[in-house]
Amino acid sequence: MDLPQQVIELDELTLRRFDGAADLPELFRVIEESLEHLRPWMPWIAEHSRDRTAEFLARRAERWASGEDHTYAIVLDGAIIGACGLFRRGDTPANGREIGYWLHPAATGRGVATRATRALVEQAFRLPGVDYVEVVHDTANHASGAVPARLHRTSPAPRRAPRPGRHR
């Protein structure tokens, strides 16, 4: 099975696989500092605890190997500032992947989520059989919705033929 890159370097920004228990103290702290920022959008915040964060990290290696979930720490200047992932939910067709992301509030508004998402889209289309990628977000979360809007590719406007009688 082909798997996404484990480390993705994006200039000063790095996406890397979580390192199990080694990332627990820092990830837990970043989530703690982000609780109010994430609460309206991330249902898992309601059950947030150090134990739940440890459980989340403990499952990453197995889920990565199975191809079910490729979750990355978003690292800026050597510090975790959020997380992003490329995954399949139970009802997602085999040819599709979903991308999710969240950031510490101090890291928002700087294009971090957009760059991370662009990198995950590239990784997704390297996986065999993947035909589409989607970002599912609460429509009230305008900042999150702006990320896929910035990445959406449109075709250039068709060229018009010169009008009769006009020469170039």
Side-chain angles (χ1 to χ4, degrees), residues 49-104:
S49 69
R50 188 173 187 89
D51 287 343
R52 294 289 263 190
T53 304
E55 290 170 20
F56 168 81
L57 290 171
R59 292 190 314 264
R60 294 306 93 205
E62 175 186 329
R63 294 174 66 93
W64 186 285
S66 74
E68 183 178 357
D69 186 333
H70 302 100
T71 306
Y72 294 86
I74 302 174
V75 179
L76 182 65
D77 298 326
I80 295 174
I81 59 166
C84 61
L86 177 62
F87 55 92
R88 281 186 59 210
R89 294 190 192 273
D91 60 346
T92 304
N95 66 329
R97 295 295 184 278
E98 185 175 330
I99 292 176
Y101 42 83
W102 64 267
L103 293 172
H104 185 285

Side-chain angles (χ1 to χ4, degrees), residues 49 108-109 117 162:
S49 69
T108 62
T117 301

Side-chain angles (χ1 to χ4, degrees), residues 9 12-16 18 22-23 25-31 33 72-83 102-104 106-107 110 112:
E9 298 288 344
E12 79 286 358
L13 186 68
T14 300
L15 308 181
R16 65 161 174 81
F18 277 105
D23 282 330
E26 187 174 10
L27 180 60
F28 181 74
R29 179 190 53 76
V30 171
I31 294 170
E33 292 174 2
Y72 294 86
I74 302 174
V75 179
L76 182 65
D77 298 326
I80 295 174
I81 59 166
W102 64 267
L103 293 172
H104 185 285
R110 301 187 327 202
V112 171

Side-chain angles (χ1 to χ4, degrees), residues 1 3 7 10 16 30 35 39 48 59 71 94 109 129 153:
M1 170 187 305
L3 298 174
V7 177
L10 306 168
R16 65 161 174 81
V30 171
L35 287 175
R39 192 176 312 283
H48 168 67
R59 292 190 314 264
T71 306
R153 297 181 185 175

